[in-house]
């Protein structure tokens, strides 16, 4: 048994060393910009007869109209409805019926739409994506039906979920002025306040070629692909005017703020500590990601070991990085074990935070954290969809697709001292918002 354990330990060490030392083949993509402003990034990989088509729109919930949140998320649904030349739900027929898939996602900074299909259907999907970029039917029927769908999502994810209001409050309370404080999903009152004309204007304003990046990864011949792109996207006229952009800056925090939030049917209380993070382009983000892995990367992480396993005061504890193009969030949160209080959770979280600030992580922790992050990044790039998503994220969050080939090396370069430095730099007492979350019938709110 001892020999087997030593063999396993040796194998893990060799695997870790090999991952950290592995030479990463860069993604050899090609990029260009059409006359109408559409950015195009293509990456040829003929190893399988499939292709990923992705359109990344530079519009997210931060761009929603004032007092009418949820528009970007609403369009995540509307874009699968009918167009001038496509029947409703035709995207499902063009993808799922040929053995492919489609989906979309919305965040504060972007909305992306993607399909993975057999490569012999590539031309059809390029036509379809160009069609919904310009000819979407934003009519009363589609608007009302999809608004109802979004409202039901809100009821299920926020109102029915015992901790839905908790996660909602984390975003609202963590920003003073920036539109990041509005939830991506919106809310029922503001969705009800939206008119058909509001929605049509939003589509005309943001869903246009000069506000999008087309990312194609997979089985194609470049000359033929570029000809199709010119045929279907190149004929779209460049819109007049410029796209309005959020210029409001979230000011630095100058003092700790504390809030108590409550909701019905909360079985166990929780706590969140949030800190303003640097913008996604900031060089400190690599070290923060390593810190996240050390603090919250699985059952061997510091938060799990201390709060859940040893102290047994939490049933859930994590540290998250919410990357955004402006200031994001660094979030500690925990859900209490039975009989424990938010104050106890906060105290233990701060102890673990101080440990990270007082001394650099051990060599073993650094190796494990970086190994996990690099392995995850490499695993994501094993598919056409994953490669396209890595490129799209580099476009939105780094402003340059070429950054996709730098991210792994940036992780490798992080030192233990870098981790300690960022923990001191961003996790200050004045940069902290504390949120206690409890059942609305609770009488003890601050202990």
């Amino acid at each position: 048994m001892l020999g087997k354990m030593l063999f396993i330990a040796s194998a893990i060490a060799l695997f870790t060393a090999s991952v950290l030392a592995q030479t990463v083949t860069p993604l050899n993509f090609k990029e260009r910009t059409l006359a109408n402003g559409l950015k195009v990034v293509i990456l040829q990989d003929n190893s399988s007869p499939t292709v990923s088509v992705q359109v990344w729109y530079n519009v997210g919930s931060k761009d929603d109209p004032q007092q009418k949140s949820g528009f970007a998320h609403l369009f995540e649904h509307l874009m699968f409805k009918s167009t001038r030349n496509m029947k409703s739900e035709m995207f499902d027929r063009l993808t799922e019926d040929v053995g492919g898939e489609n989906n979309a996602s919305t965040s504060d900074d972007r909305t992306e739409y993607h399909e993975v299909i057999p490569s012999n259907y590539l031309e059809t999907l390029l036509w379809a994506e160009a069609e919904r970029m310009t000819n979407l039917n934003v009519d009363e029927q589609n608007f009302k039906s999809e608004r109802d769908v979004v409202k039901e999502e809100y009821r299920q994810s926020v109102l029915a979920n015992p901790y839905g209001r908790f996660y909602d409050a984390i975003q609202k309370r963590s920003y003073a002025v920036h539109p990041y404080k509005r939830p991506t999903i919106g809310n029922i009152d503001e969705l009800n306040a939206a008119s058909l004309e509001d929605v049509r204007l939003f589509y005309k304003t943001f869903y246009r070629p000069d506000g999008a990046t087309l990312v194609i990864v997979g089985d194609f011949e470049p000359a033929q692909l570029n000809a199709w792109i010119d045929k279907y996207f190149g004929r779209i006229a460049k819109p007049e005017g410029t796209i309005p952009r959020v210029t409001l800056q979230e000011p630095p925090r100058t003092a700790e703020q504390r809030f108590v939030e409550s909701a019905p049917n909360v079985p166990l209380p929780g706590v969140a500590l949030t800190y303003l993070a640097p913008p996604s382009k900031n060089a400190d983000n690599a070290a923060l990601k390593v810190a996240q892995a050390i603090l919250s990367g699985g059952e061997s992480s510091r938060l799990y070991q201390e709060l859940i396993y040893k102290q047994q005061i939490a049933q859930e504890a994590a540290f998250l990085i919410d990357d955004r193009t402006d200031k994001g969030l660094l979030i500690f949160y925990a859900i209490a074990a039975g009989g424990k209080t938010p104050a106890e959770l906060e105290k233990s979280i701060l102890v673990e935070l101080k440990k990270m600030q007082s001394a650099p992580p051990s060599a073993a922790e650094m190796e494990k954290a970086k190994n996990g992050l690099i392995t995850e990044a490499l695993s994501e790039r094993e598919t056409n969809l994953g490669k396209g998503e890595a490129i799209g994220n580099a476009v939105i969050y780094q402003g340059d697709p070429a950054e996709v080939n730098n991210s792994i090396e940036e992780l490798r370069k992080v030192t233990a001292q870098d981790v300690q430095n960022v923990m001191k730099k961003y996790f200050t007492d004045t940069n902290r918002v504390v949120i206690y979350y409890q059942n609305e019938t609770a009488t003890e709110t601050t202990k």
Side-chain angles (χ1 to χ4, degrees), residues 253 255-256 274-277 426-433:
R253 295 173 178 172
E256 180 188 83
T274 78
Y275 301 79
L276 288 179
Y426 296 103
F427 297 87
T428 64
D429 293 347
T430 57
N431 187 30
R432 183 164 59 234
V433 166

Side-chain angles (χ1 to χ4, degrees), residues 350-380:
L350 289 175
V351 167
E352 294 309 307
L353 172 57
K354 294 299 181 184
K355 288 179 184 177
M356 293 285 287
Q357 294 174 325
S358 299
S362 68
E365 285 180 308
M366 289 293 295
E367 186 176 59
K368 177 178 178 293
K370 291 200 282 186
N371 175 59
L373 290 167
I374 293 170
T375 300
E376 181 181 5
L378 293 174
S379 298
E380 289 173 350

Side-chain angles (χ1 to χ4, degrees), residues 122-181:
L122 174 56
E123 182 181 8
T124 303
L125 264 295
L126 292 173
W127 167 80
E129 283 288 10
E131 172 69 13
R132 66 177 174 180
M133 181 181 283
T134 55
N135 295 322
L136 190 69
N137 284 334
V138 186
D139 56 28
E140 192 77 23
Q141 179 180 353
N142 288 342
F143 166 50
K144 288 187 175 180
S145 69
E146 295 314 298
R147 181 173 63 177
D148 286 344
V149 170
V150 173
K151 288 193 289 185
E152 184 57 29
E153 285 186 356
Y154 180 85
R155 294 185 185 99
Q156 293 296 321
S157 63
V158 178
L159 301 184
N161 183 338
Y163 296 96
R165 291 178 176 87
F166 183 32
Y167 306 129
D168 197 49
I170 289 173
Q171 186 154 331
K172 289 180 181 178
R173 295 300 193 181
S174 293
Y175 290 97
V177 300
H178 199 284
Y180 282 155
K181 69 189 301 177

